[in-house]
Amino acid sequence: MKLIYMGTPLFSLAPLKALKDHGFEITLLITQPDRRRGRKMQITYSELKTYALENDIEVFQPEDVNSHESVEKIKNTDADVIVVASYGQIIKEEILYMKKYHAINIHASLLPKYRGAAPVQAAIINEDKVTGITLMKMSKGLDTGNMLMTREIAIADDDTADTLTMKLSNLGAEMIVEYLAGLDTLDEGTPQDDSKSSYVRMIKKEDAFIDFSESASKTEHIIRAMQPWPVAFTTYKGENMKIFTAAIVKDTSDKKVGTILNVNEDGILIKCKDDAIIISEVQMPNKKRMKVSDYIRGNKIEIGERLGDR
């Protein structure tokens, strides 16, 4: 079977590799244009594009996938199906039904829950115990197409958005290979129950701000959901403090939320709406990411100060 693959972030890589390894012919990779990244703002290739070039897969990077040039390119590329995994642009209906089989999307949630751009982060923030992958027949709506296959995965207590994304990527890889290997007729799939749908927008930097007004459990989950980007942060004496790791600690004090209750080798203990969290790894402005135990050897964090004030 020949296919066109559309994807951009690291989530897209495992399914592409699996399809190639299982003998599917990738006739074209469509991915977002190269962007400037890092402090030096150098143009760098994504892992997806690098893999494609190393494996002699043609790469196409339109600014607008729905442009006339792009539509003609897809139309003239020999393929039986289009597979999409977190591509990053809305794809118009003309493209979705262009090939023998309907376009298939690998979506990182159990639809209709968490349609949209940040399903992995949403599952962690909302303290879900399970999430999963849905293979979906694409339609013009936002993640509204018929479901072709779903599979659950447990969310570990220490999962970050990064680790959970990789687990889901590997699950999606298994599922798309299994589904396409058995695809010999047009599968209409199962309609979603729109009454149970929810939508999640793209994560922004300001979503990562922590003011400790939530419960300790919710705060700890938000911290994990913001890795690897944009990374949770708060303020200490007017300066931003990035937070990488934290744990929940029982606390019955009546201190205001955000108050530093203690500082020691284990970390910074901060009061939340209920209980507290202990932060064990931080990064201050112009400093490297480091354990609190290392940071306090040469810097002072004062008990009684409040984090999260703006």
Side-chain angles (χ1 to χ4, degrees):
M1 180 181 287
K2 297 179 180 179
L3 60 92
I4 293 171
Y5 192 85
M6 302 177 68
T8 300
L10 192 55
F11 172 79
S12 312
L13 184 57
L16 177 62
K17 284 184 174 181
L19 289 165
K20 182 78 166 57
D21 292 344
H22 283 80
F24 293 92
E25 184 180 347
I26 317 299
T27 56
L28 184 67
L29 168 66
I30 303 177
T31 190
Q32 295 278 33
D34 301 324
R35 306 297 184 193
R36 296 185 182 275
R37 296 182 175 88
R39 291 182 179 180
K40 296 183 179 180
M41 295 300 290
Q42 294 179 330
I43 292 179
T44 55
Y45 291 172
S46 67
E47 290 90 342
L48 203 67
K49 180 177 178 178
T50 299
Y51 174 81
L53 295 176
E54 290 173 348
N55 288 272
D56 298 319
I57 298 171
E58 183 182 355
V59 177
F60 180 51
Q61 297 177 275
E63 286 287 350
D64 177 8
V65 73
N66 299 306
S67 67
H68 176 74
E69 174 197 6
S70 181
V71 170
E72 288 301 305
K73 177 72 173 177
I74 295 168
K75 184 185 298 183
N76 295 324
T77 298
D78 188 16
D80 301 299
V81 64
I82 298 171
V83 175
V84 181
S86 192
Y87 171 59
Q89 291 187 36
I90 300 296
I91 305 166
K92 68 181 181 181
E93 216 168 0
E94 178 184 0
I95 295 172
L96 301 181
Y97 296 94
M98 192 172 280
K99 301 304 178 182
K100 178 180 177 181
Y101 301 109
H102 48 253
I104 300 169
N105 183 41
I106 306 171
H107 185 76
S109 82
L110 299 172
L111 291 171
K113 192 175 187 178
Y114 304 145
R115 295 171 176 171
V120 178
Q121 291 89 339
I124 296 175
I125 290 170
N126 291 328
E127 305 182 55
D128 293 352
K129 299 301 182 184
V130 297
T131 184
I133 289 288
T134 302
L135 298 187
M136 176 192 68
K137 179 180 178 180
M138 296 185 73
S139 64
K140 65 178 181 179
L142 181 60
D143 299 326
T144 57
N146 288 2
M147 299 179 294
L148 303 169
M149 182 186 289
T150 61
R151 199 162 290 168
E152 289 187 356
I153 189 172
I155 301 176
D157 290 340
D158 61 351
D159 264 330
T160 63
D162 193 24
T163 61
L164 186 56
T165 294
M166 291 303 98
K167 291 176 183 179
L168 289 167
S169 177
N170 290 330
L171 178 61
E174 295 173 9
M175 291 171 64
I176 192 63
V177 168
E178 180 181 333
Y179 180 78
L180 289 181
L183 182 62
D184 56 9
T185 59
L186 287 173
D187 184 356
E188 291 302 317
T190 304
Q192 296 184 40
D193 183 349
D194 290 339
S195 69
K196 296 180 180 179
S197 68
S198 57
Y199 289 84
V200 286
R201 61 169 174 77
M202 188 176 296
I203 293 290
K204 300 178 181 179
K205 285 187 178 181
E206 52 264 34
D207 296 325
F209 177 68
I210 307 292
D211 65 5
F212 305 97
S213 62
E214 299 281 1
S215 68
S217 177
K218 184 80 166 183
T219 301
E220 189 269 343
H221 278 75
I222 293 172
I223 291 168
R224 288 193 281 118
M226 295 301 157
Q227 290 191 57
W229 188 92
V231 181
F233 72 99
T234 189
T235 53
Y236 174 70
K237 292 188 174 181
E239 290 191 315
N240 284 350
M241 172 193 286
K242 290 184 178 181
I243 306 169
F244 292 92
T245 53
I248 302 166
V249 177
K250 286 292 182 183
D251 179 76
T252 57
S253 68
D254 58 357
K255 300 292 186 180
K256 292 182 178 180
V257 296
T259 300
I260 298 174
L261 303 176
N262 197 15
V263 182
N264 57 32
E265 292 290 310
D266 294 328
I268 307 168
L269 186 66
I270 306 113
K271 179 65 180 176
C272 297
K273 185 171 70 173
D274 67 347
D275 293 323
I277 64 166
I278 187 163
I279 296 171
S280 55
E281 196 172 9
V282 299
Q283 184 177 6
M284 296 298 290
N286 303 314
K287 301 283 187 180
K288 294 180 180 179
R289 172 179 173 175
M290 63 181 72
K291 293 184 180 298
V292 169
S293 57
D294 293 327
Y295 181 78
I296 61 175
R297 289 194 180 100
N299 303 274
K300 189 170 180 62
I301 298 290
E302 296 181 18
I303 295 173
E305 285 285 339
R306 287 186 64 194
L307 299 180
D309 284 339
R310 283 181 151 176

